[in-house]
């Protein structure tokens, strides 16, 4: 059996400021660093064979903190980066709301109707992420794999395995910082046995 542990990066400065990140980067906050350490502690008895991380700084930092002092290789991967959202990257959510109200509404509520002026569509991300995860599963068959990625990329992977339409991409568990998702692959059977879990947080409000 192949087990894929998938998480999102820890809280960043731009998360706190209410900025849209996309493929631009922002450093982890102290809380974000702690969230990664908490997840690492909860996985310390799991024999992780390989860590594959989005090549963004915030995900690499998260992966390193989850790994801790264990001797596990971390492989950066461009195809696991967040959705490229063009000129929105670095803008405050309130600025996007004011300047692009219709497309911002579609982005969060009707992803199948979102039409980027620059950047990727949700369908683009789903294709990019699903192609990459298939390669990873083939390469590391029967291994325990940890993937560190981003909210939209993670939701796209869930949509892919659950055969959701793009319009339903945002349904299901919310992907909080360093939440844990576990995918089990046994032959043709591919099932999530855990989604959006934050039981490694010391308190419910540690977000």
């Amino acid at each position: 059996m192949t087990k894929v542990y998938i998480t999102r990066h820890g809280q960043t400065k731009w998360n706190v400021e209410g900025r849209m990140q996309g493929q631009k980067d922002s450093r982890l906050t102290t809380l974000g660093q702690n969230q990664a350490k908490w997840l690492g502690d909860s996985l310390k008895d799991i024999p992780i064979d390989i860590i594959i991380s989005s090549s963004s700084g915030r995900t690499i930092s998260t992966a390193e903190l989850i790994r801790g002092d264990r001797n596990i290789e971390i492989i950066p991967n461009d195809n696991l980066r967040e959705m490229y959202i063009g000129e929105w990257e670095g803008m405050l959510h309130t600025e996007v709301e004011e300047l692009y109200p219709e497309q911002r509404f579609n982005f969060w509520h009707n992803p199948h109707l979102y039409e980027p002026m620059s950047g990727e569509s949700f369908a683009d991300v789903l294709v990019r992420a699903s192609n990459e995860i298939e390669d990873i599963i083939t390469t590391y068959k029967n291994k325990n794999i940890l993937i560190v990625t981003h909210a939209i990329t993670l939701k796209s992977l869930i949509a892919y395995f659950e055969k959701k339409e793009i319009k339903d991409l945002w349904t299901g568990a919310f992907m909080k910082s360093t939440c844990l998702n576990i995918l089990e692959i046994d032959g043709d059977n591919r099932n999530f046995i855990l989604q959006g879990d934050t039981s490694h947080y010391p308190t419910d409000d540690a977000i």
Side-chain angles (χ1 to χ4, degrees):
M1 179 182 292
T2 304
K3 262 193 174 179
V4 188
Y5 299 80
I6 315 175
T7 190
R8 180 189 174 199
H9 60 80
Q11 183 196 71
T12 70
K13 181 181 178 182
W14 279 10
N15 289 149
V16 175
E17 293 177 356
R19 294 186 185 277
M20 300 194 72
Q21 296 188 117
Q23 294 193 0
K24 284 189 177 179
D25 205 30
S26 173
R27 291 182 180 275
L28 298 183
T29 63
T30 298
L31 175 57
Q33 294 172 351
N34 287 334
Q35 290 166 334
K37 292 174 184 176
W38 297 332
L39 180 56
D41 287 343
S42 74
L43 296 175
K44 67 181 185 301
D45 296 325
I46 304 296
I48 301 294
D49 295 295
I50 193 74
I51 301 174
I52 303 174
S53 172
S54 154
S55 55
S56 294
R58 62 190 183 274
T59 41
I60 294 291
S61 296
T62 300
E64 290 171 344
L65 290 165
I66 294 171
R67 177 180 65 181
D69 59 4
R70 292 203 278 177
N71 184 25
I72 308 171
E73 183 181 9
I74 297 174
I75 300 177
N77 188 303
D78 290 343
N79 287 326
L80 295 176
R81 297 182 76 185
E82 185 56 296
M83 182 177 187
Y84 174 51
I85 52 175
E87 61 195 66
W88 289 11
E89 296 191 354
M91 291 178 64
L92 293 168
H93 287 273
T94 52
E95 293 173 333
V96 176
E97 171 77 39
E98 181 179 348
L99 295 171
Y100 310 101
E102 180 180 359
Q103 282 308 316
R104 185 182 183 278
F105 182 85
N106 287 339
F107 186 93
W108 294 110
H109 301 283
N110 296 314
H112 59 301
L113 299 180
Y114 171 70
E115 296 179 356
M117 293 175 296
S118 59
E120 294 178 295
S121 68
F122 285 90
D124 292 332
V125 180
L126 194 150
V127 170
R128 165 165 62 81
S130 61
N131 285 341
E132 191 59 42
I133 196 71
E134 288 292 351
D135 286 344
I136 290 169
I137 290 167
T138 299
T139 302
Y140 299 100
K141 185 178 181 180
N142 296 325
K143 301 289 187 181
N144 289 328
I145 308 159
L146 173 63
I147 290 178
V148 185
T149 186
H150 308 263
I152 296 173
T153 308
L154 207 168
K155 291 295 279 187
S156 296
L157 290 173
I158 292 172
Y160 171 68
F161 285 109
E162 294 190 339
K163 297 179 172 57
K164 291 181 180 178
E165 296 182 25
I166 295 292
K167 68 182 180 65
D168 299 318
L169 182 137
W170 288 119
T171 61
F174 183 77
M175 296 295 116
K176 296 180 181 179
S177 300
T178 74
C179 67
L180 183 61
N181 304 265
I182 302 177
L183 175 69
E184 286 188 344
I185 300 169
D186 188 5
D188 292 333
N189 296 317
R190 300 163 164 213
N191 299 299
F192 276 97
I193 61 170
L194 191 67
Q195 285 190 28
D197 181 72
T198 55
S199 60
H200 51 283
Y201 287 10
T203 60
D204 289 340
D205 60 353
I207 57 175

